[in-house]
Amino acid sequence: MYVSDRNDRYWALAAHLSIILLPVIAPLVILILRANSRFVRHHAGQALLFHIIWGLLMMVSGWLCWILIGFPMLAIFGLMGIWTTLRAVFAALNEETYRYPITGNWM
């Protein structure tokens, strides 16, 4: 995908890494601020959708901990979140598009 500005990949990187501090807010703000860049819009939209779905999966897993099935689910979804976020970060740095596996083609 064509990157129109040299800073675009850093905005895309920030959208993916925002899962650490502001999981839903930061990608939404980046999506609004950098709406003129297709590259940033793609990455911020993917990050926003992933953060919402991943947060819901972690919340449901936490609720299921009382019947013990939630503990392995938390571990699996936690590792999945780390792995897919790292893949998305490297794709953004290499100016490539990336789709999170659990988001499908919704965005």
Side-chain angles (χ1 to χ4, degrees):
M1 184 177 275
Y2 176 71
V3 178
S4 59
D5 186 8
R6 295 189 70 201
N7 292 327
D8 280 353
R9 67 177 158 169
Y10 298 114
W11 282 102
L13 176 73
H16 292 296
L17 287 178
S18 67
I19 198 166
I20 298 168
L21 294 176
L22 300 168
V24 175
I25 298 168
L28 184 61
V29 169
I30 291 170
L31 190 63
I32 292 169
L33 290 177
R34 301 294 295 181
N36 59 345
S37 170
R38 283 183 54 208
F39 182 74
V40 176
R41 194 172 55 232
H42 168 78
H43 280 277
Q46 288 292 316
L48 176 64
L49 187 59
F50 174 72
H51 294 175
I52 291 169
I53 293 171
W54 186 74
L56 290 172
L57 288 172
M58 293 298 280
M59 192 169 30
V60 169
S61 298
W63 288 337
L64 291 175
C65 282
W66 67 276
I67 59 172
L68 301 179
I69 189 68
F71 293 113
M73 289 173 63
L74 279 173
I76 291 169
F77 293 140
L79 291 174
M80 180 198 66
I82 293 169
W83 175 252
T84 56
T85 300
L86 287 175
R87 289 186 61 204
V89 163
F90 287 120
L93 285 175
N94 292 327
E95 299 178 2
E96 301 169 352
T97 60
Y98 181 76
R99 291 193 186 278
Y100 285 96
I102 63 171
T103 60
N105 290 328
W106 296 346
M107 188 53 83

